[in-house]
Amino acid sequence: MKKNKGRVTLPSENNFLEETKDLMDRWGADALRDSDGTKLDEDLKNLDAKIYTTYFVARGQNEFALQHITEAQQIFLMSDYHLAIKTELEIPFMTGYLREQLSPDYNHDPKVWWQVIDRTRNEVVDVSKWEVDSKRDVVVIKDTEPFHEYTVNFLSYMIWDPTQMYNYITNDWKDREKEIPFDVRQPHSQKFMMDTLKDFLETNPKTDVIRFTTFYYHFTLCFNDQRKEKFVDWFGYGSSVSPRALEAFEKAKGYRLTAEDFIQNGYYNSTFCMPTQAYKDYIDFQQQFVAQQAKAMVDLVHSYGKEAMMFLGDNWIGVEPYGAYFHTIGLDAVVGSVGGGMTLRLISDIPHVKYTEGRFLPYFFPDTFFDGNDDAILKEANDNWISARRALMRSPLNRIGYGGYPSLAYKFPKFVDYIAKTADEFRGIIDKIEDVKPMTKATVGIMSAWGSLRSWQNFMVAHALHYKQIYSYIGILESLSGMDVDVRFLSFDEIKLGIPEDIDVLINAGDAKTSFSGDRVWDDPAFVAVIRKWVYEGHGFIGVGEPTAFEKGGHLFQLHDVLGVDRELGFTLSTDKYFKEPVSQHFITEDLVGAFKFGESINNIYARSSDTEIIKVENENVVLASKSFGRGRGVYLTGLPYSFENTRVLYRSIFYAMNKENKMKNFFATNIHCEVNVYPNSVALLNNTHERQETIFYDGLGNAFEITLEPSEIKWGERNEETVEWHH
Amino acid sequence: MKKNKGRVTLPSENNFLEETKDLMDRWGADALRDSDGTKLDEDLKNLDAKIYTTYFVARGQNEFALQHITEAQQIFLMSDYHLAIKTELEIPFMTGYLREQLSPDYNHDPKVWWQVIDRTRNEVVDVSKWEVDSKRDVVVIKDTEPFHEYTVNFLSYMIWDPTQMYNYITNDWKDREKEIPFDVRQPHSQKFMMDTLKDFLETNPKTDVIRFTTFYYHFTLCFNDQRKEKFVDWFGYGSSVSPRALEAFEKAKGYRLTAEDFIQNGYYNSTFCMPTQAYKDYIDFQQQFVAQQAKAMVDLVHSYGKEAMMFLGDNWIGVEPYGAYFHTIGLDAVVGSVGGGMTLRLISDIPHVKYTEGRFLPYFFPDTFFDGNDDAILKEANDNWISARRALMRSPLNRIGYGGYPSLAYKFPKFVDYIAKTADEFRGIIDKIEDVKPMTKATVGIMSAWGSLRSWQNFMVAHALHYKQIYSYIGILESLSGMDVDVRFLSFDEIKLGIPEDIDVLINAGDAKTSFSGDRVWDDPAFVAVIRKWVYEGHGFIGVGEPTAFEKGGHLFQLHDVLGVDRELGFTLSTDKYFKEPVSQHFITEDLVGAFKFGESINNIYARSSDTEIIKVENENVVLASKSFGRGRGVYLTGLPYSFENTRVLYRSIFYAMNKENKMKNFFATNIHCEVNVYPNSVALLNNTHERQETIFYDGLGNAFEITLEPSEIKWGERNEETVEWHH
């Protein structure tokens, strides 16, 4: 691979040959791909480039799908809440759902698969008390209790692929077919999928890489009757169900699941809920099945001498790259969208593949690439690159790429130039660090009910989308993504068995009752004692939001004694709270100018003892505190939205929690806009901003040097043990 | 009673005869009292005034108390939390307590009365596993589980009366005896108390009114080892326990209470906790006993032709005026401290007494009455009077009074003049309204686990003290105290049996899990259905804070369908929230200029349906909303700190919830600083400020008149059915 070429994937399209050549040359691209809505003609496929072809496994075959409509994918849905005024109630359960997407399943006996639930009792109503009127899509319930709320859990066919539906509606398409997703668990579909893939491989010799988009089951996404999003859960297994699947589950696991196991009060097993055993079993069951199926396809691809790449998203349910069976599939690569450091790590940390590829922003779509938007385009590209680059320095992607219509991007020469520069910078970085492990100063374990399965995905609802309820926690992961620490995602279950040797600091973050905070795990004395002991013996514990929250024994925060704070629920208002004065200065906030911006506030956090170091207080709430606990320490933060300031606050919190403040300033830049990465033979000093920065740099011996960095510069140096010789 | 005299009680002191006469004359006082630290000499007692004498039942008799030290009052206390590092742990349980106040009870077998609790399990440790070392005041626990927390519940004697302790420490007394409280349930004490009272009655012929301060058991108040308040609960029954009481309880109720029934995780049965059945039983048991004892004393007082008055506070446990047995005591009067409208109503609404008296502020103590503080003194007096006056117009006290050292107040002639004016105004008001019932436009029921027992005391921790966690709710009561509505305090239990006929609007206010919000009562389908039906059929429901909160069936707020809002806990983040736009105007906020000041924020309140009228939103949280529900309506408010603006918001909410907006402007003042009170033959228009106010006044027919009011003026008019003729 010659210098300044390679590692870059370019989208192309018909009738764009010369421009494609030009772009390939300027960006050093060595692969071409199609996109949703674009195809590559033969001339393009003959260029000196790897050819990626997007491949849909479970949709885009309506002739087949219509012939086997009972093999359409399915989902359990809950009706709206309906109030019984008298002793009979009709529930038009489809109200609010989009009939273009969903169609009730009357083929399988509703009395077996559906449920009516009295939500005021939260009890299932006996099947003898209700009937389905399939003509009107109504359930009629008898003997209802007046002024109780009722819902219907019903089984529905999915007759429109959610991603195609999204693109279709968003782009206001009119004349295309609405693609019906079919289910790999059904006999005709399974055979059809394999046959179709074989045909494709036979008839597309120029395709080098099959880009599966993705496999079998879509994350949960429903629209409402106004064609607007109604429900989205990037992790949801809801759209993978069927009577056949549940019967197989019963055989495999020895018990039967009901609609409510999926509906779960309308929470639909959100990742924010503590997972039930039934849901965990179902995930295991489906992952195993889906991995088997995917393996067969990947084997087939390999038998044609081609590579199998998976897109991270869309129909990715069951093939989550951090899942237990992913390694059995044998994929060559995963490609995914990069929104910043956290989503980059989500891709670049994926194990068991030969390479990973990040699709950077902006996507070449008309909503961004329109006349006069030059500055915004450049800014989006620059912001995306510079925020992701931090993470790249820790865990490199092997490739980058773009998506959409290159003909649009080509009209913006400054953008084309910028990407040319970025591609060179990317190649330069990767060439240096692809095969080496960066030095880390600590290993941080992030706790949740999900553990490694949801690595870099804690607190997410939908991929990279902002929610008021999550940004205060997401910032932890975004900060960590570019920090010179190792990050591991640990489940409560594995922690209970013993905290791994290499962990220096545990982070427990999230709202009370969620799977991230832990809820009932904190009711388990053995679990609590394991962590207390571990901290006491010289480790760090960082709690964010409502960590260790389970009201018991006089505390909400079960590790109040480690964190130094608790939350007042009203029950101990009679007990005087003496400790209110913040310390005048503290190691954790030494680089913080002004207030600590903790995001969403959590009311009534107070210090429990004089040993608590109250660091920041706002509106009488402690928002930042620390405490010694044996030879270890606890740190409490109300929240940590992503910012340079907060990244430093977290960084310092980690060293403080470890009781190793004195180790921080080895290979360290004082300026919060700069970061240092140390490799076996080199050192990189990053400027993470678009402005010039001056910083003090400390080498490994603690010697200080003043260094100036140009906007977004990476300064590379040669490392000789603890010292650095900077390149010029 | 001649004009401009009467209804006023003056504190006096030795050597203050002439000044007392002068003050009596200028204030029209007809009664004289002593205070803590002041006595009345014979000359004073010979004046033409009723003589009140403060009488302490259970303290101030150290000779007796020391002779019968095992009859000292007792309390169950919890030690600090102690962490077991190994398998043995010592807990010095007295750490943090004031040894001048508390002394461990080693007379009763600790193995019977004390408990050691593993707070990590929250389980009682077997008595075989611990021993008490009474020499060192330590409990030694064997076989502890490492890294579990342990506490000791121990029984202690109270060897210093809490109120005397407070005064003693606050005033830095040196040479007085520390008064030991003794227990009416003990045989010698009971007899001694009666004998002593008899002696007193015999030897104090000039006393007309025995002012009991108060009876037997003090509300819970402990100091720490730095002589600062450690724990204060104005409602706490903690200081009324003893082995004798618990043995009697077991006989009466058929089961045994333990220390933990009182300690309750260190919550000590805070009124914020949902009361346990054991605690409710104990309250009933003690109230019955205390009422019997108090009745005997009151009967004795009456037999000497004197009156029995009770101070509301201090040793008032068991004699709560809204309790079930209070009427049996036969008291003539209750006197209490007035901090504003809510605390005035707490006194003036007391049933079963001949008269009530409010002690107004400022108290004549050196912390207020010092040279140069004239303006602050006047302001405190004026604010106190004007805020209490609103409530007086609805439910009159029969008398007012002052406390402290009159010699101090006498040095401030402007203050003396102001009180002279206030006393005249008070008499003028009472003469007009004492015997008539004001017209009310609605009856509001305030729900809580406590019902009428805690009338006007919901959300209180210590009498009239401010807490960050309560002011957003206390404002509801303060607002209501002067409103032309009837207010009733209803328990969840009685509501479940059927909402009283006369209730128009129910208010459910408080933080989740508290006895004010209701916690598990909202898990009861029958309870939920009763309220839904009642609202549906045409009543109003106002929720404040986290009303109806119990996570179940997909909702936190069980009456989400009545209120129109719910709180997002994270579990339904995947469900799109469509309804975010506030209405452009709304009846409830018509008089609100600028933002709605709701006090402490509650995060993640959102509108559940398009039927919700979103009235105010802040930081993406719905802070004010309403919704129709059948023929009734729900209103949601995040909080309601007391202000003129918020009083109007609540007033309008009541009319809106009742579906009777059109009734509001009968006998109504548009200016939020003014209020109208209508009596059978008169109408009073109040200016509740120290500034001149102009308002539109609507008579009962809806005719509008412009009226100007002088600072703090009450304009009286003669009522002729629906019209008013104003006095000039």
Side-chain angles (χ1 to χ4, degrees), chain A residues 539-561:
Chain A
H539 297 94
F541 189 88
I542 299 177
V544 187
E546 294 179 284
T548 80
F550 186 90
E551 194 266 310
K552 180 184 182 184
H555 322 294
L556 178 64
F557 295 170
Q558 287 304 307
L559 293 186
H560 70 98
D561 53 347

PDB file of all heavy atoms in Angstrom, chain A residues 539-561:
ATOM      1  N   HIS A 539      -8.874   0.867  46.360  1.00  0.00           N
ATOM      2  CA  HIS A 539      -9.318   1.193  45.012  1.00  0.00           C
ATOM      3  C   HIS A 539     -10.228   2.410  45.028  1.00  0.00           C
ATOM      4  O   HIS A 539     -10.529   2.958  46.088  1.00  0.00           O
ATOM      5  CB  HIS A 539     -10.046   0.000  44.384  1.00  0.00           C
ATOM      6  CG  HIS A 539      -9.173  -1.202  44.208  1.00  0.00           C
ATOM      7  ND1 HIS A 539      -9.106  -2.206  45.151  1.00  0.00           N
ATOM      8  CD2 HIS A 539      -8.308  -1.551  43.222  1.00  0.00           C
ATOM      9  CE1 HIS A 539      -8.252  -3.133  44.749  1.00  0.00           C
ATOM     10  NE2 HIS A 539      -7.748  -2.762  43.581  1.00  0.00           N
ATOM     11  N   GLY A 540     -10.662   2.791  43.819  1.00  0.00           N
ATOM     12  CA  GLY A 540     -11.490   3.993  43.696  1.00  0.00           C
ATOM     13  C   GLY A 540     -12.902   3.667  43.250  1.00  0.00           C
ATOM     14  O   GLY A 540     -13.122   2.712  42.493  1.00  0.00           O
ATOM     15  N   PHE A 541     -13.846   4.450  43.728  1.00  0.00           N
ATOM     16  CA  PHE A 541     -15.249   4.275  43.354  1.00  0.00           C
ATOM     17  C   PHE A 541     -15.819   5.644  43.019  1.00  0.00           C
ATOM     18  O   PHE A 541     -15.829   6.540  43.865  1.00  0.00           O
ATOM     19  CB  PHE A 541     -16.014   3.623  44.505  1.00  0.00           C
ATOM     20  CG  PHE A 541     -17.411   3.222  44.135  1.00  0.00           C
ATOM     21  CD1 PHE A 541     -17.666   1.968  43.580  1.00  0.00           C
ATOM     22  CD2 PHE A 541     -18.471   4.097  44.322  1.00  0.00           C
ATOM     23  CE1 PHE A 541     -18.959   1.596  43.232  1.00  0.00           C
ATOM     24  CE2 PHE A 541     -19.764   3.735  43.961  1.00  0.00           C
ATOM     25  CZ  PHE A 541     -20.011   2.479  43.421  1.00  0.00           C
ATOM     26  N   ILE A 542     -16.277   5.793  41.789  1.00  0.00           N
ATOM     27  CA  ILE A 542     -16.860   7.075  41.365  1.00  0.00           C
ATOM     28  C   ILE A 542     -18.350   6.860  41.112  1.00  0.00           C
ATOM     29  O   ILE A 542     -18.738   5.996  40.326  1.00  0.00           O
ATOM     30  CB  ILE A 542     -16.172   7.603  40.088  1.00  0.00           C
ATOM     31  CG1 ILE A 542     -14.678   7.829  40.364  1.00  0.00           C
ATOM     32  CG2 ILE A 542     -16.841   8.885  39.601  1.00  0.00           C
ATOM     33  CD1 ILE A 542     -13.889   8.294  39.148  1.00  0.00           C
ATOM     34  N   GLY A 543     -19.161   7.623  41.810  1.00  0.00           N
ATOM     35  CA  GLY A 543     -20.617   7.540  41.633  1.00  0.00           C
ATOM     36  C   GLY A 543     -21.131   8.801  40.967  1.00  0.00           C
ATOM     37  O   GLY A 543     -20.717   9.905  41.324  1.00  0.00           O
ATOM     38  N   VAL A 544     -22.014   8.617  40.010  1.00  0.00           N
ATOM     39  CA  VAL A 544     -22.560   9.768  39.284  1.00  0.00           C
ATOM     40  C   VAL A 544     -24.082   9.676  39.277  1.00  0.00           C
ATOM     41  O   VAL A 544     -24.641   8.628  38.939  1.00  0.00           O
ATOM     42  CB  VAL A 544     -22.037   9.815  37.832  1.00  0.00           C
ATOM     43  CG1 VAL A 544     -22.474  11.111  37.149  1.00  0.00           C
ATOM     44  CG2 VAL A 544     -20.522   9.666  37.780  1.00  0.00           C
ATOM     45  N   GLY A 545     -24.734  10.766  39.647  1.00  0.00           N
ATOM     46  CA  GLY A 545     -26.200  10.807  39.610  1.00  0.00           C
ATOM     47  C   GLY A 545     -26.784  10.206  40.874  1.00  0.00           C
ATOM     48  O   GLY A 545     -26.695  10.790  41.947  1.00  0.00           O
ATOM     49  N   GLU A 546     -27.392   9.049  40.727  1.00  0.00           N
ATOM     50  CA  GLU A 546     -27.942   8.327  41.879  1.00  0.00           C
ATOM     51  C   GLU A 546     -27.285   6.950  41.965  1.00  0.00           C
ATOM     52  O   GLU A 546     -27.939   5.924  41.784  1.00  0.00           O
ATOM     53  CB  GLU A 546     -29.460   8.214  41.771  1.00  0.00           C
ATOM     54  CG  GLU A 546     -30.158   9.560  41.858  1.00  0.00           C
ATOM     55  CD  GLU A 546     -31.670   9.445  41.732  1.00  0.00           C
ATOM     56  OE1 GLU A 546     -32.149   9.245  40.598  1.00  0.00           O
ATOM     57  OE2 GLU A 546     -32.373   9.553  42.744  1.00  0.00           O
ATOM     58  N   PRO A 547     -25.992   6.949  42.247  1.00  0.00           N
ATOM     59  CA  PRO A 547     -25.263   5.682  42.307  1.00  0.00           C
ATOM     60  C   PRO A 547     -25.691   4.863  43.516  1.00  0.00           C
ATOM     61  O   PRO A 547     -26.084   5.419  44.537  1.00  0.00           O
ATOM     62  CB  PRO A 547     -23.802   6.132  42.456  1.00  0.00           C
ATOM     63  CG  PRO A 547     -23.879   7.463  43.116  1.00  0.00           C
ATOM     64  CD  PRO A 547     -25.140   8.105  42.574  1.00  0.00           C
ATOM     65  N   THR A 548     -25.652   3.586  43.392  1.00  0.00           N
ATOM     66  CA  THR A 548     -25.897   2.626  44.493  1.00  0.00           C
ATOM     67  C   THR A 548     -27.244   2.861  45.173  1.00  0.00           C
ATOM     68  O   THR A 548     -27.411   2.599  46.357  1.00  0.00           O
ATOM     69  CB  THR A 548     -24.763   2.645  45.552  1.00  0.00           C
ATOM     70  OG1 THR A 548     -24.940   3.753  46.446  1.00  0.00           O
ATOM     71  CG2 THR A 548     -23.374   2.727  44.923  1.00  0.00           C
ATOM     72  N   ALA A 549     -28.214   3.336  44.379  1.00  0.00           N
ATOM     73  CA  ALA A 549     -29.486   3.769  44.973  1.00  0.00           C
ATOM     74  C   ALA A 549     -30.441   2.609  45.196  1.00  0.00           C
ATOM     75  O   ALA A 549     -30.866   1.943  44.252  1.00  0.00           O
ATOM     76  CB  ALA A 549     -30.144   4.816  44.078  1.00  0.00           C
ATOM     77  N   PHE A 550     -30.744   2.353  46.433  1.00  0.00           N
ATOM     78  CA  PHE A 550     -31.796   1.405  46.825  1.00  0.00           C
ATOM     79  C   PHE A 550     -32.134   1.722  48.272  1.00  0.00           C
ATOM     80  O   PHE A 550     -31.291   1.548  49.149  1.00  0.00           O
ATOM     81  CB  PHE A 550     -31.329  -0.053  46.677  1.00  0.00           C
ATOM     82  CG  PHE A 550     -32.425  -1.040  46.925  1.00  0.00           C
ATOM     83  CD1 PHE A 550     -33.225  -1.471  45.876  1.00  0.00           C
ATOM     84  CD2 PHE A 550     -32.687  -1.503  48.207  1.00  0.00           C
ATOM     85  CE1 PHE A 550     -34.269  -2.358  46.111  1.00  0.00           C
ATOM     86  CE2 PHE A 550     -33.727  -2.382  48.443  1.00  0.00           C
ATOM     87  CZ  PHE A 550     -34.514  -2.821  47.389  1.00  0.00           C
ATOM     88  N   GLU A 551     -33.312   2.180  48.528  1.00  0.00           N
ATOM     89  CA  GLU A 551     -33.653   2.670  49.859  1.00  0.00           C
ATOM     90  C   GLU A 551     -33.740   1.508  50.853  1.00  0.00           C
ATOM     91  O   GLU A 551     -34.583   0.633  50.717  1.00  0.00           O
ATOM     92  CB  GLU A 551     -34.980   3.433  49.800  1.00  0.00           C
ATOM     93  CG  GLU A 551     -35.259   4.265  51.044  1.00  0.00           C
ATOM     94  CD  GLU A 551     -36.106   3.540  52.072  1.00  0.00           C
ATOM     95  OE1 GLU A 551     -37.145   3.000  51.685  1.00  0.00           O
ATOM     96  OE2 GLU A 551     -35.710   3.512  53.256  1.00  0.00           O
ATOM     97  N   LYS A 552     -32.827   1.519  51.797  1.00  0.00           N
ATOM     98  CA  LYS A 552     -32.734   0.395  52.741  1.00  0.00           C
ATOM     99  C   LYS A 552     -31.840   0.784  53.919  1.00  0.00           C
ATOM    100  O   LYS A 552     -30.801   1.419  53.711  1.00  0.00           O
ATOM    101  CB  LYS A 552     -32.118  -0.813  52.025  1.00  0.00           C
ATOM    102  CG  LYS A 552     -31.960  -2.068  52.872  1.00  0.00           C
ATOM    103  CD  LYS A 552     -31.268  -3.147  52.078  1.00  0.00           C
ATOM    104  CE  LYS A 552     -31.124  -4.437  52.848  1.00  0.00           C
ATOM    105  NZ  LYS A 552     -30.356  -5.428  52.078  1.00  0.00           N
ATOM    106  N   GLY A 553     -32.226   0.372  55.095  1.00  0.00           N
ATOM    107  CA  GLY A 553     -31.354   0.526  56.261  1.00  0.00           C
ATOM    108  C   GLY A 553     -31.044   1.974  56.605  1.00  0.00           C
ATOM    109  O   GLY A 553     -30.072   2.251  57.311  1.00  0.00           O
ATOM    110  N   GLY A 554     -31.857   2.907  56.087  1.00  0.00           N
ATOM    111  CA  GLY A 554     -31.644   4.311  56.435  1.00  0.00           C
ATOM    112  C   GLY A 554     -30.906   5.107  55.381  1.00  0.00           C
ATOM    113  O   GLY A 554     -30.669   6.303  55.579  1.00  0.00           O
ATOM    114  N   HIS A 555     -30.554   4.469  54.274  1.00  0.00           N
ATOM    115  CA  HIS A 555     -29.847   5.167  53.194  1.00  0.00           C
ATOM    116  C   HIS A 555     -30.572   4.958  51.867  1.00  0.00           C
ATOM    117  O   HIS A 555     -31.140   3.893  51.639  1.00  0.00           O
ATOM    118  CB  HIS A 555     -28.435   4.611  52.996  1.00  0.00           C
ATOM    119  CG  HIS A 555     -27.737   4.238  54.256  1.00  0.00           C
ATOM    120  ND1 HIS A 555     -27.381   5.169  55.196  1.00  0.00           N
ATOM    121  CD2 HIS A 555     -27.321   3.037  54.737  1.00  0.00           C
ATOM    122  CE1 HIS A 555     -26.767   4.548  56.202  1.00  0.00           C
ATOM    123  NE2 HIS A 555     -26.730   3.254  55.954  1.00  0.00           N
ATOM    124  N   LEU A 556     -30.469   5.957  50.998  1.00  0.00           N
ATOM    125  CA  LEU A 556     -30.796   5.678  49.610  1.00  0.00           C
ATOM    126  C   LEU A 556     -29.557   5.138  48.905  1.00  0.00           C
ATOM    127  O   LEU A 556     -29.611   4.126  48.236  1.00  0.00           O
ATOM    128  CB  LEU A 556     -31.313   6.927  48.881  1.00  0.00           C
ATOM    129  CG  LEU A 556     -31.624   6.656  47.397  1.00  0.00           C
ATOM    130  CD1 LEU A 556     -32.758   5.657  47.221  1.00  0.00           C
ATOM    131  CD2 LEU A 556     -31.920   7.927  46.639  1.00  0.00           C
ATOM    132  N   PHE A 557     -28.437   5.835  49.090  1.00  0.00           N
ATOM    133  CA  PHE A 557     -27.198   5.356  48.465  1.00  0.00           C
ATOM    134  C   PHE A 557     -26.584   4.305  49.391  1.00  0.00           C
ATOM    135  O   PHE A 557     -26.073   4.640  50.470  1.00  0.00           O
ATOM    136  CB  PHE A 557     -26.201   6.499  48.267  1.00  0.00           C
ATOM    137  CG  PHE A 557     -26.656   7.563  47.292  1.00  0.00           C
ATOM    138  CD1 PHE A 557     -25.946   8.750  47.166  1.00  0.00           C
ATOM    139  CD2 PHE A 557     -27.778   7.389  46.483  1.00  0.00           C
ATOM    140  CE1 PHE A 557     -26.346   9.740  46.272  1.00  0.00           C
ATOM    141  CE2 PHE A 557     -28.190   8.370  45.585  1.00  0.00           C
ATOM    142  CZ  PHE A 557     -27.472   9.551  45.487  1.00  0.00           C
ATOM    143  N   GLN A 558     -26.594   3.075  48.987  1.00  0.00           N
ATOM    144  CA  GLN A 558     -26.078   2.021  49.868  1.00  0.00           C
ATOM    145  C   GLN A 558     -24.586   2.222  50.149  1.00  0.00           C
ATOM    146  O   GLN A 558     -24.103   1.854  51.205  1.00  0.00           O
ATOM    147  CB  GLN A 558     -26.360   0.643  49.273  1.00  0.00           C
ATOM    148  CG  GLN A 558     -27.832   0.243  49.373  1.00  0.00           C
ATOM    149  CD  GLN A 558     -28.349   0.276  50.797  1.00  0.00           C
ATOM    150  OE1 GLN A 558     -27.773  -0.319  51.703  1.00  0.00           O
ATOM    151  NE2 GLN A 558     -29.429   1.010  51.023  1.00  0.00           N
ATOM    152  N   LEU A 559     -23.869   2.832  49.204  1.00  0.00           N
ATOM    153  CA  LEU A 559     -22.457   3.121  49.481  1.00  0.00           C
ATOM    154  C   LEU A 559     -22.256   4.582  49.900  1.00  0.00           C
ATOM    155  O   LEU A 559     -21.267   5.215  49.524  1.00  0.00           O
ATOM    156  CB  LEU A 559     -21.589   2.748  48.279  1.00  0.00           C
ATOM    157  CG  LEU A 559     -21.515   1.243  47.989  1.00  0.00           C
ATOM    158  CD1 LEU A 559     -20.512   0.954  46.877  1.00  0.00           C
ATOM    159  CD2 LEU A 559     -21.136   0.457  49.236  1.00  0.00           C
ATOM    160  N   HIS A 560     -23.189   5.104  50.652  1.00  0.00           N
ATOM    161  CA  HIS A 560     -23.060   6.439  51.234  1.00  0.00           C
ATOM    162  C   HIS A 560     -21.739   6.607  51.963  1.00  0.00           C
ATOM    163  O   HIS A 560     -21.173   7.694  52.017  1.00  0.00           O
ATOM    164  CB  HIS A 560     -24.215   6.696  52.198  1.00  0.00           C
ATOM    165  CG  HIS A 560     -24.099   5.853  53.437  1.00  0.00           C
ATOM    166  ND1 HIS A 560     -23.567   6.349  54.594  1.00  0.00           N
ATOM    167  CD2 HIS A 560     -24.368   4.556  53.650  1.00  0.00           C
ATOM    168  CE1 HIS A 560     -23.535   5.368  55.489  1.00  0.00           C
ATOM    169  NE2 HIS A 560     -24.008   4.278  54.940  1.00  0.00           N
ATOM    170  N   ASP A 561     -21.264   5.515  52.554  1.00  0.00           N
ATOM    171  CA  ASP A 561     -20.041   5.622  53.357  1.00  0.00           C
ATOM    172  C   ASP A 561     -18.795   5.667  52.483  1.00  0.00           C
ATOM    173  O   ASP A 561     -17.750   6.144  52.914  1.00  0.00           O
ATOM    174  CB  ASP A 561     -19.944   4.469  54.378  1.00  0.00           C
ATOM    175  CG  ASP A 561     -20.098   3.102  53.742  1.00  0.00           C
ATOM    176  OD1 ASP A 561     -20.521   3.023  52.569  1.00  0.00           O
ATOM    177  OD2 ASP A 561     -19.793   2.104  54.420  1.00  0.00           O
TER     178      ASP A 561
END
